[in-house]
Amino acid sequence: MDENDFYKQTVQHLARCLSCIDPTPWEKVNTLFMLCPQVSTSFTVTPRSQEACIALGLYFLQSDLQHQDKLLPYFLKVLKCLTNAQFEEPMCRVKNGDREYFIK
């Protein structure tokens, strides 16, 4: 398992665990929320922030829409900003013999 798969599985596991807590304290959800892309004038989405945003959506749906007063406006802002978003490409690890290269 590579680093990207590990991160994806970790944030999704966190989201699923948090969704089982009823009610989930915002401080716990905020841990996941802060990993998501932050909406600003220059909206940049990294592979990790994209995975965190997907996990936050997973939490939102599986928790029966807990914290919808904070999360729904966030998701709507993200949706509006996607047309102007900058997407950072993930780094790929390529092995050639005994050497490793990272390419975009």
Side-chain angles (χ1 to χ4, degrees), residues 33 36-46 49 73-86:
F33 180 75
C36 295
Q38 299 305 306
V39 180
S40 63
T41 54
S42 61
F43 186 58
T44 304
V45 180
T46 66
S49 67
Y74 170 73
F75 288 131
L76 292 173
K77 283 181 192 173
V78 168
L79 187 61
K80 278 185 178 179
C81 293
L82 280 179
T83 56
N84 298 323
Q86 299 288 324

Side-chain angles (χ1 to χ4, degrees), residues 91-104:
M91 299 278 287
C92 296
R93 185 183 317 184
V94 178
K95 290 186 180 184
N96 183 8
D98 58 344
R99 292 187 176 174
E100 267 187 345
Y101 301 96
F102 292 94
I103 58 173
K104 283 193 172 188

Side-chain angles (χ1 to χ4, degrees), residues 2 7 20 23-25 31 34 36-37 39 47 57 59 66 68-69 73 76 89 93-94 96 99-100 102:
D2 72 358
Y7 183 80
C20 293
T24 312
T31 302
M34 294 308 293
C36 295
V39 180
Y59 161 79
Q66 288 188 56
Q68 64 181 327
D69 57 320
L76 292 173
E89 292 186 36
R93 185 183 317 184
V94 178
N96 183 8
R99 292 187 176 174
E100 267 187 345
F102 292 94

